Amino acid sequence: MCLDKARSWIETASSITALTGAGISAESGIPTFRGATGLWKQFRPEDLATPRAFARNPELVWQWYDWRRSLIHTAQPNAGHGALSELETRVPRFTLITQNVDGLHQRAGSRNVLEIHGSIWKLRCTKCRRQWHDMSVPLELPPHCQCGAFARPAVVWFGEGLPEDVWAAAGQASTECDVFLVVGTSAIVYPAAGLIDLARAAGAKVIEVNVERTAISAYADCALTGPAGEVLPELLRTPPSSASRLAPEIER
Ligand code: APR
């Protein structure tokens, strides 16, 4: 059973890195981007999540981010976030790389979190590039920097580079781990998805947790099917004597 193997890899690992995507926050009520109910079904990323979109209509972009902030503000971390926070306490070296900007991993207690796509709770000045946290909901729109210039969400938009220091740390954590957990991501947005190949090439055991098959399921050493809020706690639980009640996972 690949679940049993995955458990033993985790129990014996001295270094674990996790890469999470929007799927880990789905059970907290936060919409994913793709799939039947994804945000990109209702909105066009080119209108809301690119530098050109912001230059063209900053008010519209800020209204959308303020709406997402109001959704996230009322959301609570779920058992999937909690399981990763628990895992961090059990293993000597743990790095959580997240594509999510919602901050739920930190609210669940995770400490070593690399936000490779930035944070929806941070703003950055479009002129002096100063960056600051602003947790207010709703925001006073459009927000300005102390220097008087427009502020933008401190998130990574399509066509933008990732924060260099964070990206370097994510690359290092991907090549130096025994186990690489991939949770709740469609694994089609690069360079983030490239971390999975990096980990595999460096010899890590890749364990995927997703409700459906993805672009990397066939390359995972173990692909577990089910919601992260159920699978991750199960993965960390010492195996019950009877057969696990998880849906049969996809064998390699
Ligand atoms: N548990 C586990 N996985 C889930 C769950 C769940 N409860 N619900 C959905 N999923 C899976 C979906 O099957 C899908 O594979 O989560 C994944 C979500 O994929 P996307 O919506 O594409 O989100 P993500 O992979 O994080 O997108 C990457 O794209 O739009 C950009 O910057 C944005 O960071 C985002 C990036």
Side-chain angles (χ1 to χ4, degrees):
M1 284 266 284
C2 125
L3 174 67
D4 297 337
K5 277 191 297 186
R7 277 192 179 125
S8 66
W9 295 333
I10 285 178
E11 274 159 21
T12 54
S14 56
S15 170
I16 295 178
T17 296
L19 170 68
T20 63
I24 197 166
S25 295
E27 291 155 89
S28 297
I30 297 174
T32 59
F33 291 97
R34 296 166 186 84
T37 56
L39 287 173
W40 298 145
K41 274 275 181 291
Q42 309 164 54
F43 304 100
R44 289 167 13 113
E46 51 273 34
D47 294 342
L48 297 165
T50 66
R52 274 170 59 99
F54 188 74
R56 198 173 46 238
N57 190 338
E59 287 77 9
L60 175 68
V61 172
W62 265 119
Q63 279 162 16
W64 190 64
Y65 276 91
D66 202 33
W67 168 72
R68 287 181 62 201
R69 286 163 59 108
S70 65
L71 271 186
I72 295 164
H73 177 68
T74 54
Q76 295 303 320
N78 63 62
H81 297 104
L84 291 182
S85 167
E86 159 69 19
L87 182 56
E88 184 171 16
T89 66
R90 291 190 192 178
V91 63
R93 282 197 315 281
F94 182 86
T95 304
L96 175 47
I97 303 165
T98 189
Q99 301 172 86
N100 301 340
V101 297
D102 57 34
L104 288 186
H105 284 302
Q106 295 91 326
R107 284 176 54 194
S110 289
R111 294 191 313 284
N112 189 17
V113 181
L114 299 174
E115 293 179 311
I116 55 173
H117 288 168
S119 168
I120 204 165
W121 299 112
K122 277 189 198 159
L123 279 61
R124 185 170 71 237
C125 178
T126 55
K127 189 172 167 205
C128 70
R129 297 187 65 78
R130 186 175 71 88
Q131 201 158 270
W132 66 95
H133 269 98
D134 182 332
M135 308 298 280
S136 45
V137 172
L139 266 173
E140 197 184 312
L141 296 180
H144 287 79
C145 175
Q146 289 164 349
C147 76
F150 255 149
R152 57 161 281 180
V155 298
V156 177
W157 281 328
F158 288 105
E160 292 189 315
L162 276 58
E164 279 174 23
D165 52 341
V166 178
W167 180 246
Q172 188 173 358
S174 303
T175 51
E176 294 176 357
C177 61
D178 306 315
V179 172
F180 193 83
L181 265 172
V182 186
V183 184
T185 181
S186 54
I188 56 172
V189 173
Y190 284 77
L195 294 170
I196 305 163
D197 306 327
L198 219 52
R200 278 186 75 239
K205 292 292 187 193
V206 175
I207 302 169
E208 182 186 34
V209 176
N210 201 305
V211 291
E212 63 185 14
R213 282 188 78 79
T214 68
I216 65 112
S217 299
Y219 305 106
D221 294 284
C222 177
L224 297 169
T225 306
E230 287 180 28
V231 174
L232 285 174
E234 191 69 20
L235 192 53
L236 300 191
R237 192 162 297 133
T238 40
S241 51
S242 59
S244 156
R245 58 183 173 73
L246 265 188
E249 63 283 2
I250 301 164
E251 287 285 354
R252 244 207 91 161

